[in-house]
């Protein structure tokens, strides 16, 4: 079993910044890729950003140039730096990790979600 624990959400004014962090622990051999997804009320969960084990990144068009994803493979953590936040960024943000367990089984895990609210 693998646990993903997120932190760093909150309330911020438009134009402000927040930093989300996610730490994975448990039955981990390695993590193939990690990412952040957002889910606004009444909407489907959508990709925000992903990063591979080697550091290749991908971003939703809506956040390019404003958000930066990074990871620490030694600590099994992924971070999302969110700058120039807009009200439309308001959502619950979920951490996702595709984990290779010690048995070499590849499984996908999700965090519990952290609320980000951008409002004046």
């Amino acid at each position: 079993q693998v646990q993903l624990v997120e932190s760093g959400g909150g309330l911020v004014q438009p134009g402000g910044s927040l930093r989300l962090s996610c730490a994975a622990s448990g039955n981990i051999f390695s993590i193939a890729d990690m990412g952040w997804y957002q889910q606004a009320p009444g909407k489907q969960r959508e990709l925000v950003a992903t990063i591979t084990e080697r550091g290749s990144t991908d971003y939703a068009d809506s956040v390019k140039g404003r958000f930066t994803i990074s990871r620490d493979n030694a600590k099994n953590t992924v971070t999302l730096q969110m700058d120039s936040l807009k009200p439309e960024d308001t959502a619950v943000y979920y951490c996702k990790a595709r984990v290779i367990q010690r048995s070499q089984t590849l499984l996908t895990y999700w965090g519990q979600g952290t609320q980000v609210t951008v409002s004046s």
Side-chain angles (χ1 to χ4, degrees):
Q1 190 68 6
V2 173
Q3 296 78 40
L4 301 181
V5 178
E6 299 143 340
S7 60
L11 173 64
V12 64
Q13 292 186 342
S17 297
L18 281 176
R19 188 178 181 89
L20 304 183
S21 295
C22 174
S25 62
N27 184 2
I28 299 171
F29 177 76
S30 66
I31 302 179
D33 52 77
M34 305 184 82
W36 291 94
Y37 290 71
Q38 65 179 194
Q39 187 166 19
K43 295 188 176 181
Q44 291 187 335
R45 193 171 298 186
E46 298 179 336
L47 168 72
V48 175
T50 60
I51 185 167
T52 68
E53 189 171 12
R54 294 189 177 187
S56 295
T57 59
D58 188 28
Y59 295 92
D61 288 342
S62 60
V63 307
K64 284 180 181 177
R66 300 188 299 120
F67 291 9
T68 303
I69 190 170
S70 60
R71 65 186 281 178
D72 185 328
N73 291 335
K75 296 181 179 179
N76 291 329
T77 59
V78 62
T79 298
L80 185 69
Q81 177 66 41
M82 304 186 294
D83 299 318
S84 302
L85 282 160
K86 304 176 181 180
E88 50 264 43
D89 296 321
T90 296
V92 178
Y93 284 72
Y94 295 90
C95 173
K96 175 185 173 182
R98 292 203 310 137
V99 177
I100 301 172
Q101 297 184 306
R102 297 185 186 97
S103 62
Q104 300 301 297
T105 302
L106 177 65
L107 293 174
T108 298
Y109 292 90
W110 292 88
Q112 79 283 0
T114 185
Q115 177 70 46
V116 171
T117 302
V118 185
S119 175
S120 55

